Amino acid sequence: MKSPISLKRGTVAAVFIDLQEEHRQDKRYLVEGYERILANVQRLQAAARQNHVPLHHWAYIVDLDSQDRPFHPVGEDGKSAFSDKSDPLTEICHEVAPGNGEAVLIKAEASAFRSGPAGDRLKASGIEWLVIAGVWTEACIDASVRDAVARGFRVLLVKDACGSGSMAMHQTGILNLANRLYGGAVTDTGGACRLLAGETVTVWQVEGSVPLRFTFENAAHLYAEL
């Protein structure tokens, strides 16, 4: 269902996950529509900065020399098949790079909130809502959202500022989260920017048990209606 919400100033943080060059330049890990996603993220970041909302940036970096990762895929050189610490394509894309004083965090797993002190620090600073954007929707975004909710955060998921390897992967990933995003909401970039500015906006919020029964045929339509 859709209902109006507003975000109380001082209780909101913006979270940007894995917006790295490998998703634009490595043909194995290209994100569909990545330039559009980055443009939407730029709008979100501008709105957050203008309204004094703290920005937190995560990057996925794999260090097989220090991380115990059974079954992790490796290349012929023995390095991680993706996001290896020595790969310059792990750099955050310049358009959405962290600004001065903004938190930059490294994660070695899908979720931004499974381990490490970031969640506790956000809680201690009075943050209740996390505005989340990034890639890949059904992987790192999904894991981060679920762990954030488990830690007691309300999540505003910005659907068109997220993406994956195909539109089908992205849309079904968003629908899966929307079905179970208790305490949170789903909106688009325009709605998120207005919420960051202190406005009241009508957004999707889950009610009941798994209300979005999507199929191959209707998934795109339901996604558009969120």
mmCIF file of all heavy atoms in Angstrom, residues 168-217:
data_model
loop_
_atom_site.group_PDB
_atom_site.id
_atom_site.type_symbol
_atom_site.label_atom_id
_atom_site.label_comp_id
_atom_site.label_asym_id
_atom_site.label_seq_id
_atom_site.Cartn_x
_atom_site.Cartn_y
_atom_site.Cartn_z
ATOM 1 N N ALA A 168 15.683 -7.406 -15.033
ATOM 2 C CA ALA A 168 14.877 -8.426 -14.362
ATOM 3 C C ALA A 168 15.446 -8.743 -12.980
ATOM 4 O O ALA A 168 14.701 -8.873 -12.000
ATOM 5 C CB ALA A 168 14.803 -9.689 -15.207
ATOM 6 N N MET A 169 16.778 -8.873 -12.883
ATOM 7 C CA MET A 169 17.404 -9.127 -11.584
ATOM 8 C C MET A 169 17.123 -7.984 -10.623
ATOM 9 O O MET A 169 16.802 -8.206 -9.439
ATOM 10 C CB MET A 169 18.911 -9.312 -11.768
ATOM 11 C CG MET A 169 19.291 -10.541 -12.570
ATOM 12 S SD MET A 169 21.018 -10.525 -13.110
ATOM 13 C CE MET A 169 21.865 -10.855 -11.558
ATOM 14 N N HIS A 170 17.222 -6.754 -11.117
ATOM 15 C CA HIS A 170 16.993 -5.585 -10.271
ATOM 16 C C HIS A 170 15.539 -5.493 -9.823
ATOM 17 O O HIS A 170 15.256 -5.335 -8.626
ATOM 18 C CB HIS A 170 17.382 -4.323 -11.036
ATOM 19 C CG HIS A 170 16.877 -3.063 -10.421
ATOM 20 N ND1 HIS A 170 17.288 -2.624 -9.182
ATOM 21 C CD2 HIS A 170 15.958 -2.149 -10.861
ATOM 22 C CE1 HIS A 170 16.650 -1.496 -8.883
ATOM 23 N NE2 HIS A 170 15.845 -1.198 -9.880
ATOM 24 N N GLN A 171 14.615 -5.579 -10.761
ATOM 25 C CA GLN A 171 13.216 -5.383 -10.427
ATOM 26 C C GLN A 171 12.698 -6.443 -9.465
ATOM 27 O O GLN A 171 11.989 -6.119 -8.500
ATOM 28 C CB GLN A 171 12.374 -5.349 -11.703
ATOM 29 C CG GLN A 171 12.619 -4.110 -12.550
ATOM 30 C CD GLN A 171 11.810 -4.103 -13.833
ATOM 31 O OE1 GLN A 171 11.257 -5.129 -14.243
ATOM 32 N NE2 GLN A 171 11.743 -2.954 -14.475
ATOM 33 N N THR A 172 13.047 -7.702 -9.693
ATOM 34 C CA THR A 172 12.588 -8.748 -8.784
ATOM 35 C C THR A 172 13.284 -8.630 -7.426
ATOM 36 O O THR A 172 12.686 -8.946 -6.386
ATOM 37 C CB THR A 172 12.806 -10.145 -9.377
ATOM 38 O OG1 THR A 172 14.175 -10.304 -9.753
ATOM 39 C CG2 THR A 172 11.923 -10.364 -10.592
ATOM 40 N N GLY A 173 14.536 -8.132 -7.427
ATOM 41 C CA GLY A 173 15.211 -7.886 -6.158
ATOM 42 C C GLY A 173 14.500 -6.827 -5.332
ATOM 43 O O GLY A 173 14.332 -6.970 -4.108
ATOM 44 N N ILE A 174 14.080 -5.747 -5.980
ATOM 45 C CA ILE A 174 13.331 -4.694 -5.286
ATOM 46 C C ILE A 174 11.990 -5.224 -4.790
ATOM 47 O O ILE A 174 11.573 -4.953 -3.650
ATOM 48 C CB ILE A 174 13.126 -3.478 -6.208
ATOM 49 C CG1 ILE A 174 14.450 -2.775 -6.494
ATOM 50 C CG2 ILE A 174 12.101 -2.508 -5.610
ATOM 51 C CD1 ILE A 174 15.051 -2.036 -5.322
ATOM 52 N N LEU A 175 11.294 -5.987 -5.623
ATOM 53 C CA LEU A 175 9.997 -6.526 -5.220
ATOM 54 C C LEU A 175 10.136 -7.471 -4.030
ATOM 55 O O LEU A 175 9.307 -7.447 -3.105
ATOM 56 C CB LEU A 175 9.336 -7.248 -6.398
ATOM 57 C CG LEU A 175 8.861 -6.352 -7.536
ATOM 58 C CD1 LEU A 175 8.444 -7.201 -8.739
ATOM 59 C CD2 LEU A 175 7.700 -5.469 -7.097
ATOM 60 N N ASN A 176 11.166 -8.307 -4.035
ATOM 61 C CA ASN A 176 11.389 -9.193 -2.893
ATOM 62 C C ASN A 176 11.589 -8.406 -1.617
ATOM 63 O O ASN A 176 11.049 -8.754 -0.554
ATOM 64 C CB ASN A 176 12.617 -10.078 -3.151
ATOM 65 C CG ASN A 176 12.265 -11.373 -3.863
ATOM 66 O OD1 ASN A 176 11.238 -11.982 -3.582
ATOM 67 N ND2 ASN A 176 13.110 -11.792 -4.781
ATOM 68 N N LEU A 177 12.377 -7.339 -1.682
ATOM 69 C CA LEU A 177 12.592 -6.512 -0.495
ATOM 70 C C LEU A 177 11.317 -5.780 -0.106
ATOM 71 O O LEU A 177 10.979 -5.689 1.085
ATOM 72 C CB LEU A 177 13.715 -5.518 -0.758
ATOM 73 C CG LEU A 177 15.127 -6.097 -0.678
ATOM 74 C CD1 LEU A 177 16.152 -5.099 -1.199
ATOM 75 C CD2 LEU A 177 15.468 -6.494 0.761
ATOM 76 N N ALA A 178 10.607 -5.239 -1.083
ATOM 77 C CA ALA A 178 9.381 -4.497 -0.786
ATOM 78 C C ALA A 178 8.362 -5.371 -0.059
ATOM 79 O O ALA A 178 7.622 -4.886 0.808
ATOM 80 C CB ALA A 178 8.777 -3.951 -2.078
ATOM 81 N N ASN A 179 8.332 -6.649 -0.376
ATOM 82 C CA ASN A 179 7.398 -7.573 0.269
ATOM 83 C C ASN A 179 7.668 -7.756 1.754
ATOM 84 O O ASN A 179 6.779 -8.199 2.501
ATOM 85 C CB ASN A 179 7.476 -8.947 -0.413
ATOM 86 C CG ASN A 179 6.439 -9.120 -1.504
ATOM 87 O OD1 ASN A 179 5.368 -8.529 -1.452
ATOM 88 N ND2 ASN A 179 6.750 -9.946 -2.489
ATOM 89 N N ARG A 180 8.892 -7.428 2.197
ATOM 90 C CA ARG A 180 9.278 -7.740 3.572
ATOM 91 C C ARG A 180 9.964 -6.569 4.277
ATOM 92 O O ARG A 180 10.610 -6.763 5.305
ATOM 93 C CB ARG A 180 10.203 -8.958 3.569
ATOM 94 C CG ARG A 180 9.513 -10.208 3.006
ATOM 95 C CD ARG A 180 10.504 -11.304 2.689
ATOM 96 N NE ARG A 180 9.827 -12.507 2.235
ATOM 97 C CZ ARG A 180 9.468 -12.722 0.969
ATOM 98 N NH1 ARG A 180 9.721 -11.825 0.031
ATOM 99 N NH2 ARG A 180 8.849 -13.832 0.631
ATOM 100 N N LEU A 181 9.801 -5.374 3.738
ATOM 101 C CA LEU A 181 10.508 -4.210 4.277
ATOM 102 C C LEU A 181 9.698 -3.581 5.411
ATOM 103 O O LEU A 181 9.245 -2.434 5.340
ATOM 104 C CB LEU A 181 10.773 -3.195 3.165
ATOM 105 C CG LEU A 181 11.721 -2.035 3.504
ATOM 106 C CD1 LEU A 181 13.044 -2.542 4.058
ATOM 107 C CD2 LEU A 181 11.958 -1.177 2.282
ATOM 108 N N TYR A 182 9.520 -4.337 6.479
ATOM 109 C CA TYR A 182 8.730 -3.868 7.619
ATOM 110 C C TYR A 182 9.420 -2.686 8.287
ATOM 111 O O TYR A 182 10.620 -2.698 8.522
ATOM 112 C CB TYR A 182 8.509 -5.001 8.604
ATOM 113 C CG TYR A 182 7.798 -6.175 7.976
ATOM 114 C CD1 TYR A 182 8.453 -7.378 7.757
ATOM 115 C CD2 TYR A 182 6.473 -6.057 7.568
ATOM 116 C CE1 TYR A 182 7.802 -8.444 7.152
ATOM 117 C CE2 TYR A 182 5.810 -7.110 6.956
ATOM 118 C CZ TYR A 182 6.482 -8.307 6.759
ATOM 119 O OH TYR A 182 5.837 -9.362 6.149
ATOM 120 N N GLY A 183 8.638 -1.650 8.553
ATOM 121 C CA GLY A 183 9.162 -0.447 9.177
ATOM 122 C C GLY A 183 9.782 0.533 8.214
ATOM 123 O O GLY A 183 10.129 1.647 8.604
ATOM 124 N N GLY A 184 9.934 0.127 6.948
ATOM 125 C CA GLY A 184 10.586 0.981 5.970
ATOM 126 C C GLY A 184 9.674 1.364 4.823
ATOM 127 O O GLY A 184 8.443 1.320 4.948
ATOM 128 N N ALA A 185 10.285 1.731 3.693
ATOM 129 C CA ALA A 185 9.504 2.210 2.554
ATOM 130 C C ALA A 185 10.339 2.117 1.288
ATOM 131 O O ALA A 185 11.570 2.026 1.338
ATOM 132 C CB ALA A 185 9.063 3.654 2.785
ATOM 133 N N VAL A 186 9.641 2.153 0.151
ATOM 134 C CA VAL A 186 10.284 2.173 -1.165
ATOM 135 C C VAL A 186 9.792 3.402 -1.912
ATOM 136 O O VAL A 186 8.593 3.704 -1.921
ATOM 137 C CB VAL A 186 9.946 0.910 -1.989
ATOM 138 C CG1 VAL A 186 10.655 0.952 -3.346
ATOM 139 C CG2 VAL A 186 10.330 -0.357 -1.232
ATOM 140 N N THR A 187 10.718 4.112 -2.559
ATOM 141 C CA THR A 187 10.350 5.262 -3.374
ATOM 142 C C THR A 187 11.366 5.412 -4.494
ATOM 143 O O THR A 187 12.271 4.586 -4.629
ATOM 144 C CB THR A 187 10.277 6.539 -2.512
ATOM 145 O OG1 THR A 187 9.685 7.600 -3.274
ATOM 146 C CG2 THR A 187 11.659 6.975 -2.035
ATOM 147 N N ASP A 188 11.197 6.457 -5.306
ATOM 148 C CA ASP A 188 12.166 6.735 -6.357
ATOM 149 C C ASP A 188 13.037 7.915 -5.941
ATOM 150 O O ASP A 188 12.884 8.472 -4.845
ATOM 151 C CB ASP A 188 11.470 6.977 -7.699
ATOM 152 C CG ASP A 188 10.500 8.159 -7.664
ATOM 153 O OD1 ASP A 188 10.509 8.937 -6.672
ATOM 154 O OD2 ASP A 188 9.728 8.315 -8.624
ATOM 155 N N THR A 189 13.951 8.302 -6.825
ATOM 156 C CA THR A 189 14.901 9.357 -6.480
ATOM 157 C C THR A 189 14.193 10.673 -6.174
ATOM 158 O O THR A 189 14.550 11.365 -5.214
ATOM 159 C CB THR A 189 15.908 9.551 -7.618
ATOM 160 O OG1 THR A 189 16.613 8.309 -7.812
ATOM 161 C CG2 THR A 189 16.905 10.643 -7.294
ATOM 162 N N GLY A 190 13.200 11.013 -6.975
ATOM 163 C CA GLY A 190 12.478 12.258 -6.732
ATOM 164 C C GLY A 190 11.832 12.282 -5.364
ATOM 165 O O GLY A 190 11.921 13.273 -4.624
ATOM 166 N N GLY A 191 11.169 11.178 -5.003
ATOM 167 C CA GLY A 191 10.535 11.103 -3.695
ATOM 168 C C GLY A 191 11.553 11.158 -2.571
ATOM 169 O O GLY A 191 11.334 11.826 -1.550
ATOM 170 N N ALA A 192 12.673 10.469 -2.741
ATOM 171 C CA ALA A 192 13.707 10.472 -1.703
ATOM 172 C C ALA A 192 14.288 11.862 -1.504
ATOM 173 O O ALA A 192 14.527 12.291 -0.370
ATOM 174 C CB ALA A 192 14.803 9.474 -2.071
ATOM 175 N N CYS A 193 14.518 12.584 -2.592
ATOM 176 C CA CYS A 193 15.063 13.942 -2.476
ATOM 177 C C CYS A 193 14.099 14.856 -1.738
ATOM 178 O O CYS A 193 14.523 15.685 -0.909
ATOM 179 C CB CYS A 193 15.374 14.503 -3.858
ATOM 180 S SG CYS A 193 16.796 13.736 -4.667
ATOM 181 N N ARG A 194 12.827 14.712 -1.999
ATOM 182 C CA ARG A 194 11.831 15.518 -1.299
ATOM 183 C C ARG A 194 11.780 15.169 0.183
ATOM 184 O O ARG A 194 11.667 16.051 1.056
ATOM 185 C CB ARG A 194 10.459 15.321 -1.935
ATOM 186 C CG ARG A 194 10.332 15.927 -3.330
ATOM 187 C CD ARG A 194 9.012 15.510 -3.981
ATOM 188 N NE ARG A 194 7.877 15.897 -3.160
ATOM 189 C CZ ARG A 194 6.670 15.332 -3.236
ATOM 190 N NH1 ARG A 194 6.463 14.314 -4.059
ATOM 191 N NH2 ARG A 194 5.691 15.767 -2.467
ATOM 192 N N LEU A 195 11.883 13.887 0.504
ATOM 193 C CA LEU A 195 11.907 13.480 1.909
ATOM 194 C C LEU A 195 13.143 14.027 2.615
ATOM 195 O O LEU A 195 13.059 14.486 3.758
ATOM 196 C CB LEU A 195 11.866 11.954 2.006
ATOM 197 C CG LEU A 195 10.498 11.312 1.750
ATOM 198 C CD1 LEU A 195 10.646 9.819 1.478
ATOM 199 C CD2 LEU A 195 9.566 11.544 2.939
ATOM 200 N N LEU A 196 14.289 13.990 1.940
ATOM 201 C CA LEU A 196 15.504 14.538 2.532
ATOM 202 C C LEU A 196 15.386 16.036 2.790
ATOM 203 O O LEU A 196 16.009 16.575 3.705
ATOM 204 C CB LEU A 196 16.701 14.253 1.623
ATOM 205 C CG LEU A 196 17.142 12.788 1.541
ATOM 206 C CD1 LEU A 196 18.179 12.605 0.445
ATOM 207 C CD2 LEU A 196 17.702 12.313 2.874
ATOM 208 N N ALA A 197 14.551 16.695 1.985
ATOM 209 C CA ALA A 197 14.343 18.129 2.143
ATOM 210 C C ALA A 197 13.299 18.460 3.206
ATOM 211 O O ALA A 197 12.997 19.638 3.428
ATOM 212 C CB ALA A 197 13.940 18.740 0.811
ATOM 213 N N GLY A 198 12.731 17.427 3.834
ATOM 214 C CA GLY A 198 11.782 17.660 4.912
ATOM 215 C C GLY A 198 10.326 17.608 4.504
ATOM 216 O O GLY A 198 9.441 17.869 5.332
ATOM 217 N N GLU A 199 10.040 17.258 3.250
ATOM 218 C CA GLU A 199 8.653 17.192 2.791
ATOM 219 C C GLU A 199 7.999 15.873 3.214
ATOM 220 O O GLU A 199 8.668 14.901 3.566
ATOM 221 C CB GLU A 199 8.592 17.317 1.268
ATOM 222 C CG GLU A 199 9.097 18.637 0.721
ATOM 223 C CD GLU A 199 8.934 18.728 -0.787
ATOM 224 O OE1 GLU A 199 7.930 18.196 -1.299
ATOM 225 O OE2 GLU A 199 9.810 19.294 -1.451
ATOM 226 N N THR A 200 6.685 15.851 3.130
ATOM 227 C CA THR A 200 5.908 14.623 3.303
ATOM 228 C C THR A 200 5.632 14.043 1.921
ATOM 229 O O THR A 200 5.193 14.755 1.023
ATOM 230 C CB THR A 200 4.590 14.897 4.034
ATOM 231 O OG1 THR A 200 4.886 15.387 5.354
ATOM 232 C CG2 THR A 200 3.754 13.629 4.153
ATOM 233 N N VAL A 201 5.907 12.743 1.761
ATOM 234 C CA VAL A 201 5.813 12.096 0.450
ATOM 235 C C VAL A 201 5.055 10.778 0.604
ATOM 236 O O VAL A 201 5.234 10.063 1.601
ATOM 237 C CB VAL A 201 7.220 11.820 -0.134
ATOM 238 C CG1 VAL A 201 7.131 11.083 -1.460
ATOM 239 C CG2 VAL A 201 7.987 13.131 -0.301
ATOM 240 N N THR A 202 4.222 10.462 -0.363
ATOM 241 C CA THR A 202 3.511 9.185 -0.375
ATOM 242 C C THR A 202 4.407 8.113 -0.984
ATOM 243 O O THR A 202 4.884 8.267 -2.113
ATOM 244 C CB THR A 202 2.200 9.298 -1.175
ATOM 245 O OG1 THR A 202 1.350 10.260 -0.536
ATOM 246 C CG2 THR A 202 1.472 7.960 -1.230
ATOM 247 N N VAL A 203 4.641 7.036 -0.240
ATOM 248 C CA VAL A 203 5.590 5.995 -0.626
ATOM 249 C C VAL A 203 4.965 4.618 -0.405
ATOM 250 O O VAL A 203 3.953 4.470 0.282
ATOM 251 C CB VAL A 203 6.896 6.104 0.189
ATOM 252 C CG1 VAL A 203 7.586 7.440 -0.053
ATOM 253 C CG2 VAL A 203 6.613 5.923 1.691
ATOM 254 N N TRP A 204 5.616 3.593 -0.986
ATOM 255 C CA TRP A 204 5.183 2.216 -0.771
ATOM 256 C C TRP A 204 5.648 1.737 0.601
ATOM 257 O O TRP A 204 6.814 1.872 0.960
ATOM 258 C CB TRP A 204 5.758 1.285 -1.833
ATOM 259 C CG TRP A 204 5.624 -0.173 -1.449
ATOM 260 C CD1 TRP A 204 6.552 -0.954 -0.822
ATOM 261 C CD2 TRP A 204 4.479 -1.008 -1.650
ATOM 262 N NE1 TRP A 204 6.072 -2.211 -0.608
ATOM 263 C CE2 TRP A 204 4.793 -2.284 -1.110
ATOM 264 C CE3 TRP A 204 3.232 -0.806 -2.224
ATOM 265 C CZ2 TRP A 204 3.898 -3.346 -1.147
ATOM 266 C CZ3 TRP A 204 2.336 -1.867 -2.253
ATOM 267 C CH2 TRP A 204 2.678 -3.107 -1.726
ATOM 268 N N GLN A 205 4.704 1.160 1.353
ATOM 269 C CA GLN A 205 5.034 0.501 2.606
ATOM 270 C C GLN A 205 4.305 -0.837 2.660
ATOM 271 O O GLN A 205 3.126 -0.927 2.316
ATOM 272 C CB GLN A 205 4.637 1.360 3.808
ATOM 273 C CG GLN A 205 5.457 2.635 3.926
ATOM 274 C CD GLN A 205 5.206 3.354 5.230
ATOM 275 O OE1 GLN A 205 4.138 3.902 5.453
ATOM 276 N NE2 GLN A 205 6.201 3.352 6.103
ATOM 277 N N VAL A 206 5.008 -1.871 3.088
ATOM 278 C CA VAL A 206 4.412 -3.199 3.106
ATOM 279 C C VAL A 206 3.353 -3.289 4.193
ATOM 280 O O VAL A 206 3.507 -2.735 5.287
ATOM 281 C CB VAL A 206 5.501 -4.280 3.308
ATOM 282 C CG1 VAL A 206 6.184 -4.137 4.655
ATOM 283 C CG2 VAL A 206 4.919 -5.671 3.146
ATOM 284 N N GLU A 207 2.280 -3.988 3.866
ATOM 285 C CA GLU A 207 1.213 -4.262 4.820
ATOM 286 C C GLU A 207 0.785 -5.705 4.617
ATOM 287 O O GLU A 207 0.537 -6.138 3.492
ATOM 288 C CB GLU A 207 0.035 -3.320 4.607
ATOM 289 C CG GLU A 207 -1.084 -3.496 5.621
ATOM 290 C CD GLU A 207 -2.206 -2.508 5.411
ATOM 291 O OE1 GLU A 207 -3.080 -2.772 4.555
ATOM 292 O OE2 GLU A 207 -2.206 -1.461 6.084
ATOM 293 N N GLY A 208 0.718 -6.449 5.710
ATOM 294 C CA GLY A 208 0.334 -7.843 5.596
ATOM 295 C C GLY A 208 1.502 -8.728 5.185
ATOM 296 O O GLY A 208 2.671 -8.356 5.302
ATOM 297 N N SER A 209 1.169 -9.890 4.671
ATOM 298 C CA SER A 209 2.170 -10.905 4.351
ATOM 299 C C SER A 209 2.346 -11.052 2.843
ATOM 300 O O SER A 209 1.443 -11.505 2.138
ATOM 301 C CB SER A 209 1.750 -12.251 4.952
ATOM 302 O OG SER A 209 2.662 -13.261 4.616
ATOM 303 N N VAL A 210 3.506 -10.649 2.345
ATOM 304 C CA VAL A 210 3.909 -10.830 0.933
ATOM 305 C C VAL A 210 2.800 -10.375 -0.025
ATOM 306 O O VAL A 210 2.221 -11.180 -0.753
ATOM 307 C CB VAL A 210 4.307 -12.295 0.650
ATOM 308 C CG1 VAL A 210 5.082 -12.397 -0.664
ATOM 309 C CG2 VAL A 210 5.124 -12.874 1.784
ATOM 310 N N PRO A 211 2.481 -9.078 -0.031
ATOM 311 C CA PRO A 211 1.374 -8.603 -0.867
ATOM 312 C C PRO A 211 1.677 -8.568 -2.363
ATOM 313 O O PRO A 211 0.749 -8.577 -3.179
ATOM 314 C CB PRO A 211 1.128 -7.188 -0.340
ATOM 315 C CG PRO A 211 2.456 -6.767 0.195
ATOM 316 C CD PRO A 211 3.075 -8.004 0.771
ATOM 317 N N LEU A 212 2.959 -8.509 -2.730
ATOM 318 C CA LEU A 212 3.323 -8.395 -4.145
ATOM 319 C C LEU A 212 3.609 -9.781 -4.706
ATOM 320 O O LEU A 212 4.747 -10.250 -4.711
ATOM 321 C CB LEU A 212 4.541 -7.483 -4.309
ATOM 322 C CG LEU A 212 4.352 -6.038 -3.847
ATOM 323 C CD1 LEU A 212 5.694 -5.320 -3.795
ATOM 324 C CD2 LEU A 212 3.389 -5.303 -4.767
ATOM 325 N N ARG A 213 2.583 -10.450 -5.197
ATOM 326 C CA ARG A 213 2.742 -11.792 -5.754
ATOM 327 C C ARG A 213 3.083 -11.656 -7.240
ATOM 328 O O ARG A 213 2.231 -11.711 -8.110
ATOM 329 C CB ARG A 213 1.461 -12.599 -5.550
ATOM 330 C CG ARG A 213 1.070 -12.801 -4.090
ATOM 331 C CD ARG A 213 2.144 -13.545 -3.295
ATOM 332 N NE ARG A 213 1.777 -13.685 -1.892
ATOM 333 C CZ ARG A 213 1.398 -14.836 -1.341
ATOM 334 N NH1 ARG A 213 1.324 -15.936 -2.066
ATOM 335 N NH2 ARG A 213 1.098 -14.880 -0.055
ATOM 336 N N PHE A 214 4.387 -11.479 -7.511
ATOM 337 C CA PHE A 214 4.772 -11.175 -8.885
ATOM 338 C C PHE A 214 5.060 -12.448 -9.684
ATOM 339 O O PHE A 214 5.413 -13.496 -9.135
ATOM 340 C CB PHE A 214 5.971 -10.230 -8.919
ATOM 341 C CG PHE A 214 7.203 -10.713 -8.217
ATOM 342 C CD1 PHE A 214 8.163 -11.448 -8.878
ATOM 343 C CD2 PHE A 214 7.421 -10.399 -6.881
ATOM 344 C CE1 PHE A 214 9.311 -11.879 -8.233
ATOM 345 C CE2 PHE A 214 8.568 -10.815 -6.218
ATOM 346 C CZ PHE A 214 9.513 -11.563 -6.904
ATOM 347 N N THR A 215 4.913 -12.301 -10.988
ATOM 348 C CA THR A 215 5.189 -13.371 -11.947
ATOM 349 C C THR A 215 6.148 -12.835 -12.997
ATOM 350 O O THR A 215 6.473 -11.642 -13.022
ATOM 351 C CB THR A 215 3.897 -13.832 -12.639
ATOM 352 O OG1 THR A 215 3.390 -12.752 -13.435
ATOM 353 C CG2 THR A 215 2.836 -14.247 -11.624
ATOM 354 N N PHE A 216 6.608 -13.713 -13.895
ATOM 355 C CA PHE A 216 7.430 -13.246 -15.007
ATOM 356 C C PHE A 216 6.696 -12.172 -15.801
ATOM 357 O O PHE A 216 7.299 -11.228 -16.301
ATOM 358 C CB PHE A 216 7.779 -14.412 -15.938
ATOM 359 C CG PHE A 216 8.705 -15.415 -15.329
ATOM 360 C CD1 PHE A 216 8.293 -16.724 -15.125
ATOM 361 C CD2 PHE A 216 9.993 -15.071 -14.961
ATOM 362 C CE1 PHE A 216 9.147 -17.658 -14.565
ATOM 363 C CE2 PHE A 216 10.854 -15.995 -14.397
ATOM 364 C CZ PHE A 216 10.435 -17.300 -14.199
ATOM 365 N N GLU A 217 5.382 -12.318 -15.905
ATOM 366 C CA GLU A 217 4.606 -11.418 -16.753
ATOM 367 C C GLU A 217 4.315 -10.068 -16.106
ATOM 368 O O GLU A 217 4.253 -9.046 -16.802
ATOM 369 C CB GLU A 217 3.275 -12.090 -17.147
ATOM 370 C CG GLU A 217 3.407 -13.281 -18.072
ATOM 371 C CD GLU A 217 3.922 -14.538 -17.373
ATOM 372 O OE1 GLU A 217 3.750 -14.644 -16.132
ATOM 373 O OE2 GLU A 217 4.491 -15.406 -18.077
#
